Amino acid sequence: MSSSDPIMRSCRQNLSVATAFWGACLVLVVAEVAVGSNLVIGGLFFLSIPLLVAVLTWVNKGIVFDRAPRTLASVVVLGLSVLVVSSLIILVGLLAAANLKSLMIGA
Protein backbone atom coordinates (compact mmCIF):
# COMPACT_ATOMS: atom_id res chain seq x y z
CA MET A 1 0.00 0.00 0.00
CA SER A 2 1.32 3.38 -0.91
CA SER A 3 1.06 6.48 1.25
CA SER A 4 -1.56 7.88 -1.14
CA ASP A 5 -3.83 4.85 -0.69
CA PRO A 6 -7.36 6.20 -0.19
CA ILE A 7 -8.18 3.68 2.53
CA MET A 8 -5.14 4.64 4.61
CA ARG A 9 -5.82 8.33 4.05
CA SER A 10 -9.42 7.84 5.21
CA CYS A 11 -8.24 5.95 8.30
CA ARG A 12 -5.79 8.72 9.19
CA GLN A 13 -8.50 11.37 8.71
CA ASN A 14 -10.98 9.39 10.82
CA LEU A 15 -8.37 9.02 13.55
CA SER A 16 -7.71 12.77 13.48
CA VAL A 17 -11.42 13.46 13.83
CA ALA A 18 -11.62 10.92 16.67
CA THR A 19 -8.71 12.52 18.49
CA ALA A 20 -10.31 15.96 18.25
CA PHE A 21 -13.65 14.58 19.48
CA TRP A 22 -12.05 12.75 22.41
CA GLY A 23 -10.11 15.87 23.34
CA ALA A 24 -13.29 17.95 23.23
CA CYS A 25 -15.11 15.40 25.42
CA LEU A 26 -12.34 15.48 28.00
CA VAL A 27 -12.25 19.29 28.00
CA LEU A 28 -16.02 19.39 28.52
CA VAL A 29 -15.74 16.92 31.40
CA VAL A 30 -13.04 19.02 33.06
CA ALA A 31 -15.19 22.13 32.57
CA GLU A 32 -18.22 20.34 34.03
CA VAL A 33 -16.26 19.23 37.07
CA ALA A 34 -14.78 22.71 37.53
CA VAL A 35 -17.95 24.80 37.18
CA GLY A 36 -20.66 22.20 37.68
CA SER A 37 -23.28 20.96 35.32
CA ASN A 38 -25.09 23.75 33.50
CA LEU A 39 -27.08 24.39 30.35
CA VAL A 40 -24.10 25.53 28.26
CA ILE A 41 -21.95 22.46 28.94
CA GLY A 42 -24.93 20.14 28.49
CA GLY A 43 -25.72 21.85 25.20
CA LEU A 44 -22.13 21.46 24.01
CA PHE A 45 -22.23 17.76 24.87
CA PHE A 46 -25.53 17.47 23.01
CA LEU A 47 -24.17 19.24 19.90
CA SER A 48 -20.88 17.34 19.85
CA ILE A 49 -22.40 14.16 18.41
CA PRO A 50 -24.19 15.77 15.43
CA LEU A 51 -21.03 17.78 14.78
CA LEU A 52 -18.98 14.57 14.86
CA VAL A 53 -21.33 12.91 12.34
CA ALA A 54 -21.18 15.98 10.07
CA VAL A 55 -17.38 16.08 10.12
CA LEU A 56 -17.11 12.33 9.50
CA THR A 57 -19.52 12.63 6.57
CA TRP A 58 -17.38 15.44 5.16
CA VAL A 59 -14.15 13.47 5.65
CA ASN A 60 -15.58 10.33 4.03
CA LYS A 61 -17.47 12.04 1.22
CA GLY A 62 -14.97 10.61 -1.25
CA ILE A 63 -16.76 7.27 -0.96
CA VAL A 64 -19.57 8.80 -2.99
CA PHE A 65 -17.95 11.62 -4.94
CA ASP A 66 -14.81 9.77 -6.09
CA ARG A 67 -16.99 7.34 -8.04
CA ALA A 68 -17.79 8.24 -11.63
CA PRO A 69 -21.32 6.85 -11.58
CA ARG A 70 -22.70 7.80 -8.17
CA THR A 71 -24.77 4.84 -7.12
CA LEU A 72 -27.12 4.12 -4.28
CA ALA A 73 -24.64 1.52 -3.04
CA SER A 74 -21.91 4.15 -2.59
CA VAL A 75 -24.31 6.33 -0.58
CA VAL A 76 -25.24 3.34 1.60
CA VAL A 77 -21.54 2.53 2.13
CA LEU A 78 -20.92 6.15 3.15
CA GLY A 79 -23.80 6.02 5.63
CA LEU A 80 -22.69 2.71 7.11
CA SER A 81 -19.07 3.81 7.42
CA VAL A 82 -20.07 7.03 9.18
CA LEU A 83 -22.41 5.06 11.47
CA VAL A 84 -19.77 2.50 12.44
CA VAL A 85 -16.90 4.96 12.85
CA SER A 86 -18.96 7.50 14.80
CA SER A 87 -20.34 4.77 17.08
CA LEU A 88 -16.83 3.56 17.91
CA ILE A 89 -15.55 7.09 18.47
CA ILE A 90 -18.49 7.99 20.71
CA LEU A 91 -18.16 4.77 22.70
CA VAL A 92 -14.48 5.31 23.41
CA GLY A 93 -14.94 9.05 24.06
CA LEU A 94 -17.80 8.61 26.50
CA LEU A 95 -16.04 5.80 28.36
CA ALA A 96 -12.93 7.96 28.73
CA ALA A 97 -15.00 10.96 29.79
CA ALA A 98 -16.93 8.94 32.39
CA ASN A 99 -13.72 7.48 33.80
CA LEU A 100 -12.08 10.91 33.95
CA LYS A 101 -15.10 12.39 35.69
CA SER A 102 -15.16 9.62 38.28
CA LEU A 103 -11.45 10.10 38.90
CA MET A 104 -11.82 13.86 39.32
CA ILE A 105 -14.89 13.64 41.57
CA GLY A 106 -13.48 10.73 43.54
CA ALA A 107 -16.58 8.58 43.24
Side-chain angles (χ1 to χ4, degrees), residues 26-89:
L26 295 179
V27 166
L28 287 172
V29 166
V30 169
E32 183 180 13
V33 169
V35 299
S37 182
N38 61 35
L39 187 61
V40 173
I41 293 174
L44 290 173
F45 268 119
F46 181 74
L47 292 176
S48 67
I49 293 174
L51 182 62
L52 172 68
V53 171
V55 171
L56 284 173
T57 302
W58 180 261
V59 166
N60 292 306
K61 72 184 183 314
I63 293 172
V64 173
F65 294 109
D66 286 349
R67 303 216 180 265
R70 294 183 183 115
T71 62
L72 179 61
S74 62
V75 174
V76 170
V77 168
L78 172 64
L80 288 175
S81 68
V82 169
L83 176 67
V84 169
V85 171
S86 64
S87 296
L88 289 172
I89 291 171

